[in-house]
Every structure is written in structure tokens, then in C-alpha cells.
Amino acid sequence: MSRIKSKFQDLKSKNQKALIAYIMAGFPNEKGTLSAVRGLVKGGADIIELGMPFSDPLADGPVIQNAGFHALQKGMNFEKFLVLVKKIRKETDIPLVLMTYTNLLYRQGYEKFISTVKKVGIDGLILPDMSVDESKDFLQAAKKHKMDTIFLISPNTSSERIKKIAGVSSGFLYLVSVFGTTGGQQQFQDYTTHAIKNAKKILDSKIPLGVGFGVSNPDQVRFIIKSGADAIIVGSAFLRLIENAPSEKIEGKIESFTKSLKKATISE
Amino acid sequence: MKLKYPKNGKFGEFGGRYIPETLVPAVEELEEAYLKYKDDTEFKKELRYYLTQYAGRPTPLYLAKNLTEFAGGAKIYLKREDLLHGGAHKINNTLGQGLLAKRMKKKRIIAETGAGQHGVATAMACSALGLHGEVYMGYKDTQRQKLNVFRMNLLGSKVHPVKEGTQTLKDAINEAIRDWITNVKTTYYLLGSAVGPHPYPVMVRDFQSVIGNEILVQMKELEKKSPDSVVACVGGGSNAIGTFYPLIDEDTKMFGIEAGGEGIKSGHHSATLVGGSKGILHGMLTYLLQDKEGQISETHSISAGLDYPGVGPEHSYLKDAKRVKYDAVNDKEAVEAFLLLSKHEGIIPALESAHAIAYAIKIAKNMPKSESIVVTLSGRGDKDVEEVGRYLSKNVKNKK
């Protein structure tokens, strides 16, 4: 069973929801990423999403764009990413999901890319520009190497299409909470609640539902969990914290913020 | 070889829809509307009206006698898209999509622009059709094309300078897509080239095909046959695909000319089909300029309109099918052609189009006088006068 799947089973038996944290590999530098991972693990994050920077991240808002831009400027590349994941894997067995854009996989070949990252300990992939309609070769390669494929749905995705996307998703299904890019900090509106409830109904507990984009504080976490999500994904808020912390403080700051978010996932 | 409508959005293996899920309903709605109206009599009539009465179609096919003499070979005809309202072929597409947006009841229009020509054409269409326009433009481009920023403002559209990434066309497209994701319910994205997710490449091609269709009719009148060769410049490739598509089944040699910048070997160029490799960007699978890991490269060209690391997927298809020959012309040759056409014919071409002119002169020399070349003069060069001045003074200084 995949690390992601067994994590969700474990949480379910404890009647808990998952906290999924996104950070950018190589931001502010490799050492900082390792400190952030330690803080996340100590703080009780359940799954870590590692961003691999891409030059043209069109689904991302300013915070993740900026983090990716700086990581690339500092020389982050595929080799260094693999080294980083190996280092993380020496310290923790937490499920690791790689989030990036399709071209980085396509360029190497889906199969080569997936088998390489699988070997160093990546459990799943999220590609915001990989549409289910174009996913045949990608899915074939992922299946061969037992890589979880986490697809995204949106509040305007039709029920029929949610079924189709859920059918090719493994690990969890990622619901984008709002119309917008990552890192928006608006109040959630009714349509988000409706989208969560509708997706849950369609999924019928066959695959966990994670909700992300614009979730940045414990109140929002509680709101999303109350609406029925199985997992909550927080990204830009972590990056803002990392951006503003001196390097020796990253681990501690991430740990305490993670604790506050994790606490909010557990119903009183 | 002629692909009337791409199956599953694909031209062979190229094209498709590699997009965030939020945009899927939007492109589906767009495709549905496009299929509904593209052959609709009323829609066609209204578009025809605006193209003739507002934009100035049909455009002349002008025999450039002096240039022909200079080259000393085949006859060189110029398809005068530079004479259209706004000074470029872009208006063919913005009127078409603007009318479509109106039928889709979308009043807010967003667009990207490189040199500013598509931005200006969008602003004009919005003004004429009663729509609200907002244009994303790389900050660097707003600086090197200040006049067009001012024109867009005059025409009533808002310009958003984009300070992310390389601050050029590709970043303007990224930012326009982000806006579209955020405002997907109310907003129509009016893409300016034959790029992006399906159905944009086929739709933009169809709206620009008026160029090739007129060439065919005009050449049959003037020369009693279709042209022996056609030449067009390729950035994203909208004027080129509009020129080529109607001629695909004719006995015509086709040449798509990309920006060679400081030379292909220098790495400072925008010649995607000549020097690129397959990849995925802006919703499509196509040839790209990228590094070995798939990060998109910085491009260079003296002409902002060709300064783009991707290309329309139908061009990638026509390249691999060997129906069109793609080649590159560098900055220096383009500037020489710019000066040459200005001096010999009294026509100042856009720097983009000057690439095609330079290539046409090269091939004309080796063709018999009985044959004809049509060059699509996609735009006029008023916008480029300062840029050429800068280039010339820099290169004169370097020589000293």
C-alpha cells in the first residue's frame, strides 16, 4: 500500500483529518528546505508536498511564483532536487508528493522522470496543468511505477467530469477551493462549501478529498474541515513564513504554525 | 494534410489542452460557441461588415517592382496587411473573437500583447463593439513600445504591466491566464496568436485565413495561378498560418521565417521551430525553446512580436509533415530588409515582417523571373523606427 494511502487509513482510524503542507524545494535554499521539513514533521503535518520550480508556473500566485523564481536562481535543478529528497528520506518516512508542471516530466519522458523520483522516495505527483484528457501516457508510466497521481478538480468542474477525474486519481483528489491562483487570502464563499459537499457526495468515500488554494489560517482550516474535507492543503502561508524568518528560526516557526493548523483539523 | 478541424484538439501529436481544471469549462464553452457561430450566416455577415467597413479589407496584393528588380529573380508580391486599421493583421482576429465574445455574453475582455499590436487591435475591437478591454504586457515591452501603451489607453483599454519572469510576452500570457482562472465566469480571454489550448489555435487560424484566401483569389486574377512560393514571419505564427492554411493543397512552396536574433549558434534567438524541441507550455504541446530539464529559455529578437519561446501547434505539425520549410533570419538581416523596403518601395515594414522580406529577397534570386513569391507584410513599421535607430547607432559605435 502506498505511503499516502496508509496515512489516510491511519488517520481515519484515529478519526482525524490530514494536514498537507506545501513548500518549495530550494527556497530560500537547500538548508532552509530541510529545516522547514523538520519543522513540519515535528509540528504534526501528515503529508508534505514539495514544489519543484518551473519557469512558467501559470496556476500559481505571487508567493509561490516568487519562491520558485528564487529557487531557480539559486540553481535548483532536477539533480539537486533528487539529492534533497534523499536527505529528507534519511530523516523521515512522511509521505512526499512532488508538485510541478507537466513540461518537466514530458521533457525527460514521463517514465524516466517518474521512475527516477520514485526511487528516491516520492510517493505521488500533482501537476496543475495535466488535464485528464491528455493523461494517457502519464498514467501508464505512473501505474507501472506505483506512483500516486493526484489530479485537481475545481468548483466549476461538472459532476460527470469529477467522476472521470476521480477514476484516474490515487492517493487523494485535490479540490481547488476558489476561482484563482494559489495564495489568495479572500474569505471563502458559499460556492466553496457547495463544491466540497458535492465532491464528497460523488466520491462516496472511495478516495479522500483534499482542499487547497487560499487556506492560510486555523479558522479557514476549521471551516473547510467542517464542510466535509478529508485533508487540508496549506502552501503560500508556509512560504510567507519561510520568506520572513531568519534561517535559524525557520524550523521553530514552521513547527509552531504547523501545530496550530494541525490542531484546527481535529474536531473538538 | 489539410486539417480542417483538429481531432481531439490535436494537429498530429501537437496542440491539445494542458490546462488547469478551472479553465476546462471555459474552453469547452468557447469551443461550443465557436462551432455554433463559425458557419452561422448572421455571424459571418457581421464579421464581413466589420472587416470591410471598419478594418479595410480586402487588402491589396502589391507587386513590389523595385524590390523585384533589386533581387533580380522571381516577382515579389506584398500582401498588404500593414494597410489594415491599426497597422497589422491582428485586427482580423480581434474582430472575430470580439463578435464571438459578445454572443457569449462576456463583456470583460482580457488579452496579452508583446509589441503591442495585438493589444492595440484588441482595444480597437473592444471600443468598436462596446466591450471592456484589459491588456497584459511585459514591463520590458511597455518600456520599448511606449507608443502602443499610449494608443491602448487612448482607445479605452487598461494596460497591466507584468513584472514577473522575463517581463515579456510569455509572462504576459501567464498573467492573462491567471486573470482568466480568477475571473473565468465573466471574462473572455482574447488570445492574439494561433497558440494556447484548443480551440484557440484553430479559431485564430480560421479568423486569419482571410489573408490566404484573398491571396489565392488575387493571384489567380494577376498571374492566373496560385503563387509559386509564399513567405511569412513566425512568432506565435498567426499571420503565417492565416497565409499558409488556404494554400496547403495548392502547388505552392511555403516558408515560415523565425527570428534568428544574434544567430542560432549564439543561443540568443527566438527560432523555436529551427532550434527548439517538443514540450508543453501555455496549454499546448508544441516546439519550444527550453533547456535540457524543460525550463523555458529566455528568447531574443529585435522584434518584440517574434520574441516568444513557443509556436502555434499547427506549425509544429506542418514542420514535421515537411509541408512548410521553417528557417531563420537574424536581427541584422531583418534590419537591412527594413531599410531596403523603406528605401526601394516607400513602405516601412514592421520588424516582424522584415524577417519575411529578407528571406524572400534571398530565395527570389534563385528563382526564374516567370515565378512569383507572395510575402505577407503582416504590419507596418512606424512602431519600430526608434528600435531600429537604437540598433543602428549601437552597431555603428561597435564598428568604431
PDB file of all heavy atoms in Angstrom, chain A residues 92-119:
ATOM      1  N   THR A  92      12.957  11.042   7.633  1.00  0.00           N
ATOM      2  CA  THR A  92      11.525  10.830   7.873  1.00  0.00           C
ATOM      3  C   THR A  92      10.877   9.928   6.827  1.00  0.00           C
ATOM      4  O   THR A  92      11.328   9.872   5.674  1.00  0.00           O
ATOM      5  CB  THR A  92      10.757  12.179   7.917  1.00  0.00           C
ATOM      6  OG1 THR A  92       9.349  11.924   7.937  1.00  0.00           O
ATOM      7  CG2 THR A  92      11.063  13.026   6.697  1.00  0.00           C
ATOM      8  N   ASP A  93       9.824   9.275   7.246  1.00  0.00           N
ATOM      9  CA  ASP A  93       9.072   8.390   6.367  1.00  0.00           C
ATOM     10  C   ASP A  93       7.747   9.030   5.941  1.00  0.00           C
ATOM     11  O   ASP A  93       6.870   8.383   5.395  1.00  0.00           O
ATOM     12  CB  ASP A  93       8.811   7.072   7.106  1.00  0.00           C
ATOM     13  CG  ASP A  93       8.594   5.928   6.132  1.00  0.00           C
ATOM     14  OD1 ASP A  93       9.260   5.932   5.069  1.00  0.00           O
ATOM     15  OD2 ASP A  93       7.750   5.059   6.419  1.00  0.00           O
ATOM     16  N   ILE A  94       7.601  10.328   6.210  1.00  0.00           N
ATOM     17  CA  ILE A  94       6.346  11.038   5.893  1.00  0.00           C
ATOM     18  C   ILE A  94       6.059  10.942   4.384  1.00  0.00           C
ATOM     19  O   ILE A  94       6.983  10.985   3.567  1.00  0.00           O
ATOM     20  CB  ILE A  94       6.462  12.522   6.354  1.00  0.00           C
ATOM     21  CG1 ILE A  94       5.092  13.211   6.346  1.00  0.00           C
ATOM     22  CG2 ILE A  94       7.443  13.297   5.472  1.00  0.00           C
ATOM     23  CD1 ILE A  94       5.080  14.558   7.059  1.00  0.00           C
ATOM     24  N   PRO A  95       4.803  10.772   3.982  1.00  0.00           N
ATOM     25  CA  PRO A  95       4.504  10.740   2.540  1.00  0.00           C
ATOM     26  C   PRO A  95       4.942  12.035   1.853  1.00  0.00           C
ATOM     27  O   PRO A  95       4.678  13.126   2.365  1.00  0.00           O
ATOM     28  CB  PRO A  95       2.974  10.595   2.495  1.00  0.00           C
ATOM     29  CG  PRO A  95       2.600  10.019   3.812  1.00  0.00           C
ATOM     30  CD  PRO A  95       3.596  10.545   4.793  1.00  0.00           C
ATOM     31  N   LEU A  96       5.613  11.904   0.717  1.00  0.00           N
ATOM     32  CA  LEU A  96       6.109  13.062  -0.038  1.00  0.00           C
ATOM     33  C   LEU A  96       5.457  13.111  -1.417  1.00  0.00           C
ATOM     34  O   LEU A  96       5.499  12.137  -2.165  1.00  0.00           O
ATOM     35  CB  LEU A  96       7.625  12.972  -0.217  1.00  0.00           C
ATOM     36  CG  LEU A  96       8.517  13.177   1.006  1.00  0.00           C
ATOM     37  CD1 LEU A  96       9.979  12.927   0.608  1.00  0.00           C
ATOM     38  CD2 LEU A  96       8.354  14.577   1.580  1.00  0.00           C
ATOM     39  N   VAL A  97       4.877  14.264  -1.708  1.00  0.00           N
ATOM     40  CA  VAL A  97       4.246  14.457  -3.008  1.00  0.00           C
ATOM     41  C   VAL A  97       5.021  15.522  -3.765  1.00  0.00           C
ATOM     42  O   VAL A  97       5.356  16.565  -3.193  1.00  0.00           O
ATOM     43  CB  VAL A  97       2.777  14.899  -2.827  1.00  0.00           C
ATOM     44  CG1 VAL A  97       2.150  15.226  -4.173  1.00  0.00           C
ATOM     45  CG2 VAL A  97       1.970  13.827  -2.114  1.00  0.00           C
ATOM     46  N   LEU A  98       5.313  15.266  -5.020  1.00  0.00           N
ATOM     47  CA  LEU A  98       6.012  16.258  -5.843  1.00  0.00           C
ATOM     48  C   LEU A  98       4.983  17.045  -6.644  1.00  0.00           C
ATOM     49  O   LEU A  98       4.156  16.481  -7.352  1.00  0.00           O
ATOM     50  CB  LEU A  98       6.996  15.541  -6.781  1.00  0.00           C
ATOM     51  CG  LEU A  98       7.590  16.324  -7.963  1.00  0.00           C
ATOM     52  CD1 LEU A  98       8.259  17.603  -7.513  1.00  0.00           C
ATOM     53  CD2 LEU A  98       8.590  15.454  -8.708  1.00  0.00           C
ATOM     54  N   MET A  99       5.049  18.387  -6.502  1.00  0.00           N
ATOM     55  CA  MET A  99       4.151  19.241  -7.284  1.00  0.00           C
ATOM     56  C   MET A  99       4.986  20.073  -8.249  1.00  0.00           C
ATOM     57  O   MET A  99       5.889  20.796  -7.853  1.00  0.00           O
ATOM     58  CB  MET A  99       3.359  20.153  -6.356  1.00  0.00           C
ATOM     59  CG  MET A  99       2.319  20.995  -7.089  1.00  0.00           C
ATOM     60  SD  MET A  99       1.072  21.580  -5.923  1.00  0.00           S
ATOM     61  CE  MET A  99      -0.005  22.522  -6.983  1.00  0.00           C
ATOM     62  N   THR A 100       4.688  19.928  -9.531  1.00  0.00           N
ATOM     63  CA  THR A 100       5.400  20.715 -10.536  1.00  0.00           C
ATOM     64  C   THR A 100       4.530  20.820 -11.790  1.00  0.00           C
ATOM     65  O   THR A 100       3.330  20.543 -11.734  1.00  0.00           O
ATOM     66  CB  THR A 100       6.797  20.120 -10.829  1.00  0.00           C
ATOM     67  OG1 THR A 100       7.549  21.058 -11.601  1.00  0.00           O
ATOM     68  CG2 THR A 100       6.722  18.787 -11.572  1.00  0.00           C
ATOM     69  N   TYR A 101       5.126  21.230 -12.895  1.00  0.00           N
ATOM     70  CA  TYR A 101       4.362  21.388 -14.129  1.00  0.00           C
ATOM     71  C   TYR A 101       4.760  20.319 -15.147  1.00  0.00           C
ATOM     72  O   TYR A 101       5.873  19.795 -15.118  1.00  0.00           O
ATOM     73  CB  TYR A 101       4.550  22.808 -14.689  1.00  0.00           C
ATOM     74  CG  TYR A 101       3.789  23.818 -13.849  1.00  0.00           C
ATOM     75  CD1 TYR A 101       4.301  24.279 -12.639  1.00  0.00           C
ATOM     76  CD2 TYR A 101       2.522  24.253 -14.222  1.00  0.00           C
ATOM     77  CE1 TYR A 101       3.582  25.166 -11.842  1.00  0.00           C
ATOM     78  CE2 TYR A 101       1.796  25.142 -13.442  1.00  0.00           C
ATOM     79  CZ  TYR A 101       2.334  25.595 -12.251  1.00  0.00           C
ATOM     80  OH  TYR A 101       1.607  26.468 -11.477  1.00  0.00           O
ATOM     81  N   THR A 102       3.820  19.997 -16.021  1.00  0.00           N
ATOM     82  CA  THR A 102       3.936  18.836 -16.896  1.00  0.00           C
ATOM     83  C   THR A 102       5.203  18.831 -17.751  1.00  0.00           C
ATOM     84  O   THR A 102       5.785  17.782 -17.998  1.00  0.00           O
ATOM     85  CB  THR A 102       2.692  18.751 -17.807  1.00  0.00           C
ATOM     86  OG1 THR A 102       1.539  18.743 -16.959  1.00  0.00           O
ATOM     87  CG2 THR A 102       2.688  17.488 -18.643  1.00  0.00           C
ATOM     88  N   ASN A 103       5.640  20.004 -18.203  1.00  0.00           N
ATOM     89  CA  ASN A 103       6.765  20.016 -19.143  1.00  0.00           C
ATOM     90  C   ASN A 103       8.038  19.389 -18.580  1.00  0.00           C
ATOM     91  O   ASN A 103       8.814  18.799 -19.312  1.00  0.00           O
ATOM     92  CB  ASN A 103       7.052  21.438 -19.631  1.00  0.00           C
ATOM     93  CG  ASN A 103       7.959  21.436 -20.854  1.00  0.00           C
ATOM     94  OD1 ASN A 103       7.739  20.650 -21.786  1.00  0.00           O
ATOM     95  ND2 ASN A 103       8.988  22.262 -20.845  1.00  0.00           N
ATOM     96  N   LEU A 104       8.241  19.530 -17.255  1.00  0.00           N
ATOM     97  CA  LEU A 104       9.464  18.963 -16.683  1.00  0.00           C
ATOM     98  C   LEU A 104       9.459  17.439 -16.802  1.00  0.00           C
ATOM     99  O   LEU A 104      10.500  16.804 -16.966  1.00  0.00           O
ATOM    100  CB  LEU A 104       9.633  19.381 -15.225  1.00  0.00           C
ATOM    101  CG  LEU A 104       9.775  20.889 -14.955  1.00  0.00           C
ATOM    102  CD1 LEU A 104      10.239  21.132 -13.533  1.00  0.00           C
ATOM    103  CD2 LEU A 104      10.736  21.552 -15.925  1.00  0.00           C
ATOM    104  N   LEU A 105       8.280  16.832 -16.744  1.00  0.00           N
ATOM    105  CA  LEU A 105       8.177  15.383 -16.919  1.00  0.00           C
ATOM    106  C   LEU A 105       8.278  15.004 -18.394  1.00  0.00           C
ATOM    107  O   LEU A 105       8.980  14.072 -18.778  1.00  0.00           O
ATOM    108  CB  LEU A 105       6.846  14.853 -16.359  1.00  0.00           C
ATOM    109  CG  LEU A 105       6.750  14.678 -14.855  1.00  0.00           C
ATOM    110  CD1 LEU A 105       6.591  16.024 -14.172  1.00  0.00           C
ATOM    111  CD2 LEU A 105       5.588  13.774 -14.490  1.00  0.00           C
ATOM    112  N   TYR A 106       7.535  15.756 -19.216  1.00  0.00           N
ATOM    113  CA  TYR A 106       7.476  15.455 -20.645  1.00  0.00           C
ATOM    114  C   TYR A 106       8.867  15.511 -21.276  1.00  0.00           C
ATOM    115  O   TYR A 106       9.227  14.682 -22.111  1.00  0.00           O
ATOM    116  CB  TYR A 106       6.537  16.447 -21.341  1.00  0.00           C
ATOM    117  CG  TYR A 106       6.425  16.198 -22.814  1.00  0.00           C
ATOM    118  CD1 TYR A 106       5.520  15.257 -23.312  1.00  0.00           C
ATOM    119  CD2 TYR A 106       7.244  16.871 -23.718  1.00  0.00           C
ATOM    120  CE1 TYR A 106       5.441  15.006 -24.671  1.00  0.00           C
ATOM    121  CE2 TYR A 106       7.165  16.621 -25.075  1.00  0.00           C
ATOM    122  CZ  TYR A 106       6.262  15.691 -25.549  1.00  0.00           C
ATOM    123  OH  TYR A 106       6.187  15.434 -26.888  1.00  0.00           O
ATOM    124  N   ARG A 107       9.638  16.494 -20.842  1.00  0.00           N
ATOM    125  CA  ARG A 107      10.966  16.717 -21.421  1.00  0.00           C
ATOM    126  C   ARG A 107      11.876  15.501 -21.234  1.00  0.00           C
ATOM    127  O   ARG A 107      12.601  15.110 -22.130  1.00  0.00           O
ATOM    128  CB  ARG A 107      11.574  17.964 -20.770  1.00  0.00           C
ATOM    129  CG  ARG A 107      12.972  18.316 -21.232  1.00  0.00           C
ATOM    130  CD  ARG A 107      12.963  18.848 -22.650  1.00  0.00           C
ATOM    131  NE  ARG A 107      14.239  19.464 -22.996  1.00  0.00           N
ATOM    132  CZ  ARG A 107      14.810  19.351 -24.183  1.00  0.00           C
ATOM    133  NH1 ARG A 107      14.218  18.657 -25.132  1.00  0.00           N
ATOM    134  NH2 ARG A 107      15.946  19.963 -24.423  1.00  0.00           N
ATOM    135  N   GLN A 108      11.847  14.915 -20.044  1.00  0.00           N
ATOM    136  CA  GLN A 108      12.680  13.726 -19.791  1.00  0.00           C
ATOM    137  C   GLN A 108      12.028  12.456 -20.299  1.00  0.00           C
ATOM    138  O   GLN A 108      12.687  11.428 -20.458  1.00  0.00           O
ATOM    139  CB  GLN A 108      12.879  13.535 -18.285  1.00  0.00           C
ATOM    140  CG  GLN A 108      13.779  14.537 -17.640  1.00  0.00           C
ATOM    141  CD  GLN A 108      14.226  14.071 -16.266  1.00  0.00           C
ATOM    142  OE1 GLN A 108      14.398  12.894 -15.995  1.00  0.00           O
ATOM    143  NE2 GLN A 108      14.416  15.024 -15.371  1.00  0.00           N
ATOM    144  N   GLY A 109      10.742  12.513 -20.478  1.00  0.00           N
ATOM    145  CA  GLY A 109       9.943  11.322 -20.722  1.00  0.00           C
ATOM    146  C   GLY A 109       9.246  10.965 -19.416  1.00  0.00           C
ATOM    147  O   GLY A 109       9.901  10.917 -18.371  1.00  0.00           O
ATOM    148  N   TYR A 110       7.919  10.759 -19.483  1.00  0.00           N
ATOM    149  CA  TYR A 110       7.153  10.507 -18.256  1.00  0.00           C
ATOM    150  C   TYR A 110       7.757   9.355 -17.459  1.00  0.00           C
ATOM    151  O   TYR A 110       7.932   9.426 -16.254  1.00  0.00           O
ATOM    152  CB  TYR A 110       5.694  10.181 -18.588  1.00  0.00           C
ATOM    153  CG  TYR A 110       4.911  11.347 -19.157  1.00  0.00           C
ATOM    154  CD1 TYR A 110       4.286  11.259 -20.394  1.00  0.00           C
ATOM    155  CD2 TYR A 110       4.802  12.539 -18.450  1.00  0.00           C
ATOM    156  CE1 TYR A 110       3.565  12.323 -20.918  1.00  0.00           C
ATOM    157  CE2 TYR A 110       4.091  13.611 -18.968  1.00  0.00           C
ATOM    158  CZ  TYR A 110       3.471  13.500 -20.210  1.00  0.00           C
ATOM    159  OH  TYR A 110       2.767  14.556 -20.715  1.00  0.00           O
ATOM    160  N   GLU A 111       8.067   8.280 -18.171  1.00  0.00           N
ATOM    161  CA  GLU A 111       8.511   7.086 -17.467  1.00  0.00           C
ATOM    162  C   GLU A 111       9.848   7.283 -16.764  1.00  0.00           C
ATOM    163  O   GLU A 111      10.022   6.917 -15.606  1.00  0.00           O
ATOM    164  CB  GLU A 111       8.587   5.918 -18.459  1.00  0.00           C
ATOM    165  CG  GLU A 111       9.195   4.726 -17.795  1.00  0.00           C
ATOM    166  CD  GLU A 111       8.548   3.419 -18.172  1.00  0.00           C
ATOM    167  OE1 GLU A 111       7.812   3.359 -19.165  1.00  0.00           O
ATOM    168  OE2 GLU A 111       8.806   2.450 -17.435  1.00  0.00           O
ATOM    169  N   LYS A 112      10.774   7.909 -17.458  1.00  0.00           N
ATOM    170  CA  LYS A 112      12.102   8.123 -16.883  1.00  0.00           C
ATOM    171  C   LYS A 112      11.996   9.029 -15.652  1.00  0.00           C
ATOM    172  O   LYS A 112      12.568   8.740 -14.593  1.00  0.00           O
ATOM    173  CB  LYS A 112      13.025   8.749 -17.933  1.00  0.00           C
ATOM    174  CG  LYS A 112      14.456   8.812 -17.467  1.00  0.00           C
ATOM    175  CD  LYS A 112      15.395   9.271 -18.580  1.00  0.00           C
ATOM    176  CE  LYS A 112      16.738   9.658 -17.970  1.00  0.00           C
ATOM    177  NZ  LYS A 112      17.228  10.942 -18.481  1.00  0.00           N
ATOM    178  N   PHE A 113      11.248  10.097 -15.781  1.00  0.00           N
ATOM    179  CA  PHE A 113      11.097  11.041 -14.668  1.00  0.00           C
ATOM    180  C   PHE A 113      10.467  10.346 -13.469  1.00  0.00           C
ATOM    181  O   PHE A 113      10.959  10.421 -12.339  1.00  0.00           O
ATOM    182  CB  PHE A 113      10.223  12.225 -15.118  1.00  0.00           C
ATOM    183  CG  PHE A 113      10.110  13.330 -14.092  1.00  0.00           C
ATOM    184  CD1 PHE A 113      10.864  14.490 -14.217  1.00  0.00           C
ATOM    185  CD2 PHE A 113       9.240  13.217 -13.004  1.00  0.00           C
ATOM    186  CE1 PHE A 113      10.764  15.515 -13.280  1.00  0.00           C
ATOM    187  CE2 PHE A 113       9.141  14.233 -12.061  1.00  0.00           C
ATOM    188  CZ  PHE A 113       9.903  15.389 -12.200  1.00  0.00           C
ATOM    189  N   ILE A 114       9.375   9.646 -13.728  1.00  0.00           N
ATOM    190  CA  ILE A 114       8.621   9.040 -12.624  1.00  0.00           C
ATOM    191  C   ILE A 114       9.438   7.949 -11.937  1.00  0.00           C
ATOM    192  O   ILE A 114       9.497   7.889 -10.705  1.00  0.00           O
ATOM    193  CB  ILE A 114       7.264   8.499 -13.137  1.00  0.00           C
ATOM    194  CG1 ILE A 114       6.357   9.678 -13.515  1.00  0.00           C
ATOM    195  CG2 ILE A 114       6.590   7.623 -12.080  1.00  0.00           C
ATOM    196  CD1 ILE A 114       5.074   9.304 -14.224  1.00  0.00           C
ATOM    197  N   SER A 115      10.117   7.105 -12.721  1.00  0.00           N
ATOM    198  CA  SER A 115      10.882   6.033 -12.074  1.00  0.00           C
ATOM    199  C   SER A 115      12.032   6.624 -11.251  1.00  0.00           C
ATOM    200  O   SER A 115      12.347   6.142 -10.168  1.00  0.00           O
ATOM    201  CB  SER A 115      11.397   5.031 -13.106  1.00  0.00           C
ATOM    202  OG  SER A 115      12.340   5.644 -13.946  1.00  0.00           O
ATOM    203  N   THR A 116      12.623   7.721 -11.740  1.00  0.00           N
ATOM    204  CA  THR A 116      13.738   8.338 -11.007  1.00  0.00           C
ATOM    205  C   THR A 116      13.282   8.930  -9.675  1.00  0.00           C
ATOM    206  O   THR A 116      13.923   8.718  -8.641  1.00  0.00           O
ATOM    207  CB  THR A 116      14.400   9.446 -11.865  1.00  0.00           C
ATOM    208  OG1 THR A 116      14.677   8.924 -13.155  1.00  0.00           O
ATOM    209  CG2 THR A 116      15.691   9.922 -11.231  1.00  0.00           C
ATOM    210  N   VAL A 117      12.178   9.673  -9.693  1.00  0.00           N
ATOM    211  CA  VAL A 117      11.751  10.301  -8.429  1.00  0.00           C
ATOM    212  C   VAL A 117      11.157   9.261  -7.474  1.00  0.00           C
ATOM    213  O   VAL A 117      11.244   9.403  -6.258  1.00  0.00           O
ATOM    214  CB  VAL A 117      10.765  11.486  -8.641  1.00  0.00           C
ATOM    215  CG1 VAL A 117      11.430  12.589  -9.441  1.00  0.00           C
ATOM    216  CG2 VAL A 117       9.462  11.053  -9.265  1.00  0.00           C
ATOM    217  N   LYS A 118      10.606   8.201  -8.041  1.00  0.00           N
ATOM    218  CA  LYS A 118      10.070   7.128  -7.191  1.00  0.00           C
ATOM    219  C   LYS A 118      11.209   6.485  -6.389  1.00  0.00           C
ATOM    220  O   LYS A 118      11.081   6.229  -5.188  1.00  0.00           O
ATOM    221  CB  LYS A 118       9.363   6.086  -8.069  1.00  0.00           C
ATOM    222  CG  LYS A 118       8.808   4.894  -7.317  1.00  0.00           C
ATOM    223  CD  LYS A 118       7.530   5.246  -6.581  1.00  0.00           C
ATOM    224  CE  LYS A 118       7.071   4.093  -5.694  1.00  0.00           C
ATOM    225  NZ  LYS A 118       5.802   4.385  -5.034  1.00  0.00           N
ATOM    226  N   LYS A 119      12.316   6.272  -7.079  1.00  0.00           N
ATOM    227  CA  LYS A 119      13.470   5.622  -6.435  1.00  0.00           C
ATOM    228  C   LYS A 119      13.979   6.385  -5.224  1.00  0.00           C
ATOM    229  O   LYS A 119      14.411   5.788  -4.252  1.00  0.00           O
ATOM    230  CB  LYS A 119      14.617   5.459  -7.454  1.00  0.00           C
ATOM    231  CG  LYS A 119      14.636   4.083  -8.095  1.00  0.00           C
ATOM    232  CD  LYS A 119      15.807   3.967  -9.066  1.00  0.00           C
ATOM    233  CE  LYS A 119      15.358   3.228 -10.310  1.00  0.00           C
ATOM    234  NZ  LYS A 119      16.020   3.704 -11.526  1.00  0.00           N
TER     235      LYS A 119
END
